[in-house]
């Protein structure tokens, strides 16, 4: 039905430009272009081309979904900044969707999503009665309930042999678009990056001298 | 030309998130709104701008600043003729956020997108404030930059010289840090220097013995550190008056170097026989009153008009970006949604690199 809302989801939180277009609940297209760099140049033309392939333009969009991480800090900011600019210009909601949540979409609960965070750490979220996203050392993740999914699931399963590993139900951009479609009418804050890891910043090593009065 | 152009400007290349609306009407430029959200407190504990912290703040403040600027200008996005954004040089995380937000705005509104060189923003400010005709001599002196440019056109600049190491603003910040003064260092050191004796410490005036307009400030920073350490060793701390004397001595050295190099740059510039000779300064260090006074005097010596924009337009702001966008737009420039954010982007592409001359190319 042409009156169904058009939803665009996109993500640059990893080494890719990813996007998916939904008409209502029907997936029109999902696409992931792998790239180590150049996401800032490629993202907007890629979205525009996708809209055009389905006879649509920016103004036909009813909502945006954007991946807010966790993931590459700069990559997350590329998509989030574009989404906030687009939302302001189009007057449509931009829904921030965590990549942990996106990977959990459609999988049975309880479920633990674990993503490789490098440096021997993982981004983890338990989807059950309680559980927010967290950054943990790989060897601190114990007692996983339910199945495991995500890029660090296989590695965790080696340590926790009782855990079953499940693949994601749909590609990341499609999941982001579907979650955005579900939430677009809710009052939501503007999309903001979900970093989980603190910025590298050290206080100065050289203390200021003692000031002598008089 | 009766054309009216209204542009949004977006700036996020260092530690200020800024948005502004500028209108050109009947040859006159007017700043309808200029919003600057600084991050001084965010970086205060670290003794300098932390790029990742700056980028995080920009990403969540940009659209808010833009909305605020439009609100103050009392204009909807639809009333604009274009969107100008700093596309470099600067801290890449912040520049990227600004560029992506601008692309989102441009795509969503269908307005033209213009990427602006941050340095061109500073260098074209005298045209925003005073409609200064080309060619004029520009000294751009801030926390990240220090160079003499002859501005021939909105996109044509010749660099006569610049710092081969640190920028003076950075040296002011470092001086404040070494002497236990607050950041930003410029105003703190200037204020302290008023109580000080500039002659007590003999600080070097680097590169004055060499021809040309190049400058160096890193040696001055080291000299200050040595002088401080000697005093602290002798007294077990830094006496308040000595701190003022160190500030005065440091500021005098910076002023002397900038003054003498300005004299040389003016000589080169005047050889071009400009019809309306003018010397303009921009950047945060141009806010320093003793330095400003010295440069003004030197300009008067050769009969060039001296221009220093108001402080709010000397330091980082988005009005200058909107204005530079208007100038680029008028010369036919348009950028696509594939516009790149560039950490390094020298204004004078022909001049040999002075800074960061590695495989990534010149910084500025």
């Amino acid at each position: 039905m042409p009156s169904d809302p058009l939803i665009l989801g996109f993500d640059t939180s990893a080494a890719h430009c990813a996007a998916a277009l939904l008409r209502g609940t029907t997936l029109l297209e999902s696409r992931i272009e792998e790239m180590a760099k150049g996401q800032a140049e490629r993202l907007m033309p890629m979205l525009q081309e996708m809209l055009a392939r389905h006879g649509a333009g920016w103004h036909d969009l009813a909502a945006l979904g954007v991946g807010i991480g966790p993931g590459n800090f700069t990559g997350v900011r590329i998509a989030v900044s574009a989404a906030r600019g687009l939302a302001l210009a189009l007057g449509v909601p931009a829904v921030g969707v965590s990549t942990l949540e996106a990977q959990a979409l459609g999988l049975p609960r309880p479920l633990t999503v674990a993503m490789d965070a490098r440096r021997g750490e993982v981004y983890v979220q338990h989807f059950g009665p309680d559980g927010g996203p967290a950054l943990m050392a790989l060897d601190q993740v114990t007692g996983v309930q339910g199945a495991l999914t995500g890029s660090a699931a296989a590695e965790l399963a080696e340590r926790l042999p009782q855990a079953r590993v499940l693949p994601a139900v749909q590609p990341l951009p499609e999941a982001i678009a579907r979650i955005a479609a579900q939430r677009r009418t809710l009052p939501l804050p503007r999309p903001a990056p979900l970093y989980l890891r603190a910025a590298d910043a050290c206080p100065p090593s050289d203390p200021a001298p003692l000031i002598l009065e008089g | 030309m009766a054309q009216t152009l209204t542009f949004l400007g977006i700036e996020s290349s260092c530690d200020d998130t800024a948005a502004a609306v500028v209108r050109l009407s009947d040859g006159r430029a007017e700043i309808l709104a200029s919003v600057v959200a600084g991050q001084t407190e965010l970086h205060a504990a670290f003794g300098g701008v932390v790029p990742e912290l700056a980028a995080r703040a920009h990403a969540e403040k940009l659209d808010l600043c833009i909305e605020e600027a439009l609100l103050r200008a009392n204009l909807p996005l639809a009333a604009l003729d274009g969107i100008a954004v700093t596309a470099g040089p600067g801290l890449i995380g912040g520049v990227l956020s600004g560029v992506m937000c601008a692309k989102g705005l441009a795509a969503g509104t269908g307005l033209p997108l213009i990427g602006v060189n941050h340095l061109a923003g500073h260098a074209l400010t005298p045209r925003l404030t005073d409609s200064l005709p080309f060619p004029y001599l520009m000294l751009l002196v801030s926390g990240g930059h220090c160079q003499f440019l002859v501005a021939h056109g909105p996109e044509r600049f010749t660099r006569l010289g610049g710092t081969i190491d640190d920028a003076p603003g950075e040296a002011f910040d470092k001086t404040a840090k070494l002497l236990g003064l607050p950041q930003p260092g410029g105003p703190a050191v200037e204020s302290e220097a008023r109580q000080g004796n500039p002659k007590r410490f003999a600080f070097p005036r680097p590169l004055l013995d060499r021809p040309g307009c190049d400058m160096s400030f890193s040696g001055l920073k080291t000299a200050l550190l040595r002088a401080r350490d000697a005093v602290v060793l002798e007294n077990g701390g830094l006496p308040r008056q000595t701190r003022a004397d160190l500030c005065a001595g440091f500021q005098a050295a910076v002023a002397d170097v900038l003054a003498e190099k300005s004299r040389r740059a003016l000589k080169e510039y005047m050889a071009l026989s400009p019809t309306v000779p003018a010397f303009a300064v921009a950047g945060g260090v141009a806010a320093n009153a003793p330095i400003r006074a010295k440069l003004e005097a030197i300009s008067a010596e050769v009969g060039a008009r001296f221009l220093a924009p108001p402080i709010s337009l000397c330091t980082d702001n988005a009005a200058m970006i909107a204005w530079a966008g208007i100038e680029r737009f008028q010369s036919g420039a348009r950028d696509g949604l594939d516009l790149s954010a560039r950490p390094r982007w020298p204004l004078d592409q022909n001049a040999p690199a002075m800074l960061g001359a590695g495989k990534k190319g010149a910084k500025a």
Side-chain angles (χ1 to χ4, degrees):
Chain A
M1 261 184 17
S3 59
D4 280 344
L6 194 65
I7 316 284
L8 179 66
F10 54 93
D11 181 89
T12 53
S13 67
H16 62 220
C17 271
L21 192 60
L22 286 182
R23 166 85 66 195
T25 55
T26 309
L27 179 72
L28 298 180
E29 187 181 351
S30 174
R31 185 182 181 90
I32 298 179
E33 295 182 10
E34 306 288 340
M35 61 188 77
K37 56 181 183 177
Q39 287 98 325
E41 287 82 0
R42 181 65 189 133
L43 178 65
M44 296 299 290
M46 177 184 171
L47 300 180
Q48 196 163 29
E49 289 161 17
M50 181 175 283
L51 287 167
R53 273 196 295 276
H54 301 278
W58 298 106
H59 282 273
D60 298 313
L61 291 170
L64 303 162
V66 61
I68 58 168
N72 179 280
F73 297 165
T74 300
V76 168
R77 283 191 289 266
I78 286 174
V80 167
S81 299
R84 289 174 77 137
L86 272 169
L88 181 56
L90 296 171
V92 301
V95 181
V97 178
S98 101
T99 41
L100 293 161
E101 263 195 295
Q103 291 173 83
L105 184 69
L107 287 173
R109 280 16 181 198
L111 175 77
T112 299
V113 183
M115 285 168 62
D116 182 14
R118 304 193 185 182
R119 309 185 198 174
E121 294 180 312
V122 280
Y123 298 119
V124 189
Q125 188 166 4
H126 176 65
F127 290 84
D130 52 35
L135 175 68
M136 296 175 84
L138 192 62
D139 51 21
Q140 280 182 337
V141 184
T142 52
V144 167
Q145 293 171 42
L148 270 168
T149 193
S151 58
E155 196 174 352
L156 272 182
E158 281 175 27
R159 298 160 178 273
L160 311 162
Q162 77 282 10
R164 191 163 50 106
V165 175
L166 296 175
V169 173
Q170 61 271 296
L172 181 67
E174 183 187 340
I176 289 170
R178 289 198 181 280
I179 293 172
Q182 288 164 11
R183 295 189 190 156
R184 69 187 179 91
T185 55
L186 302 175
L188 292 169
R190 296 175 199 231
L194 177 67
Y195 296 109
L196 294 182
R197 180 176 270 150
D200 273 328
C202 304
S205 50
D206 183 19
L210 175 70
I211 304 301
L212 307 174
E213 300 298 336
Chain B
M1 265 208 327
Q3 195 189 11
T4 295
L5 287 172
T6 310
F7 265 61
L8 174 71
I10 300 169
E11 155 66 31
S12 56
S13 66
C14 190
D15 60 346
D16 289 302
T17 315
V21 181
V22 172
R23 172 171 286 167
L24 173 68
S25 184
D26 297 324
R28 273 192 56 249
E30 189 187 353
I31 299 169
L32 302 182
S34 183
V35 175
V36 181
Q39 305 176 353
T40 306
E41 282 165 27
L42 192 59
H43 304 284
F46 304 102
V49 176
V50 181
E52 176 62 19
L53 288 181
R56 288 183 178 198
H58 286 305
E60 296 188 40
K61 271 195 209 165
L62 274 161
D63 55 343
L64 302 173
C65 285
I66 292 163
E67 282 179 310
E68 177 67 23
L70 291 168
L71 191 73
R72 287 195 206 169
N74 196 23
L75 287 176
L77 275 169
L80 300 175
D81 297 299
I83 291 162
V85 62
T86 298
L91 299 174
I92 190 65
V95 177
L96 266 173
S97 274
V99 165
M100 294 312 294
C101 188
K103 285 183 188 179
L105 283 172
T109 55
L111 289 170
L113 174 70
I114 310 286
V116 166
N117 182 310
H118 175 84
L119 302 175
H122 280 301
L124 296 172
T125 298
R127 293 173 56 75
L128 166 66
T129 54
D130 296 84
S131 308
L132 196 63
F134 295 119
Y136 54 87
L137 177 67
M138 186 80 210
L139 168 60
L140 210 132
V141 58
S142 68
H145 303 282
C146 183
Q147 48 188 295
F148 289 103
L149 297 159
V150 177
H152 299 280
E155 298 193 72
R156 200 159 71 83
F157 302 91
T158 314
R159 194 181 63 215
L160 303 181
T163 181
I164 57 167
D165 42 52
D166 299 339
E170 186 188 345
F172 268 97
D173 284 345
K174 182 58 83 66
T175 295
K177 196 176 140 193
L178 290 173
L179 301 181
L181 292 166
Q183 298 290 321
V189 171
E190 182 182 355
S191 158
E192 203 67 17
R194 269 186 231 121
Q195 275 84 52
N197 170 10
K199 299 213 162 68
R200 178 167 162 205
F201 293 95
F203 288 124
R205 270 71 171 156
L207 297 190
L208 280 196
D209 54 336
R210 286 200 227 152
C213 302
D214 285 349
M215 293 161 278
S216 162
F217 296 96
S218 74
L220 184 53
K221 221 165 61 179
T222 312
L224 182 105
L225 174 64
R226 293 230 176 88
R228 180 203 75 166
D229 286 349
V231 171
V232 170
L233 192 68
E234 196 185 312
N235 301 281
L238 184 60
R240 198 168 278 277
Q241 183 56 46
T242 305
R243 176 163 78 174
D245 295 341
L246 284 166
C247 285
F250 165 81
Q251 183 175 272
V254 174
D256 280 353
V257 170
L258 288 174
E260 176 52 31
K261 295 291 179 171
S262 295
R263 190 175 276 124
R264 295 180 198 179
L266 272 164
K267 197 174 166 198
E268 278 190 55
Y269 162 70
M270 293 302 277
L272 302 172
S273 312
T275 40
V276 190
F279 177 35
V281 293
V285 179
N288 182 288
I291 289 177
R292 211 187 254 234
K294 216 154 188 168
L295 299 178
E296 189 163 7
I298 280 159
S299 196
E301 282 173 21
V302 296
R305 180 181 170 195
F306 180 77
L307 266 103
I311 307 299
S312 61
L313 294 175
C314 271
T315 51
D316 286 353
N317 67 88
M320 68 178 190
I321 303 304
W323 172 252
I326 288 175
E327 293 237 38
R328 276 203 78 206
F329 182 82
Q330 286 185 309
S331 62
R334 305 289 184 274
D335 286 301
L337 291 178
D338 61 346
L339 172 68
S340 288
R342 299 168 64 175
R344 294 154 183 261
W345 187 2
L347 262 188
D348 182 347
Q349 311 268 353
N350 298 316
M354 287 187 306
L355 287 169
K359 62 178 177 179
K360 289 179 179 167
K363 183 173 149 198

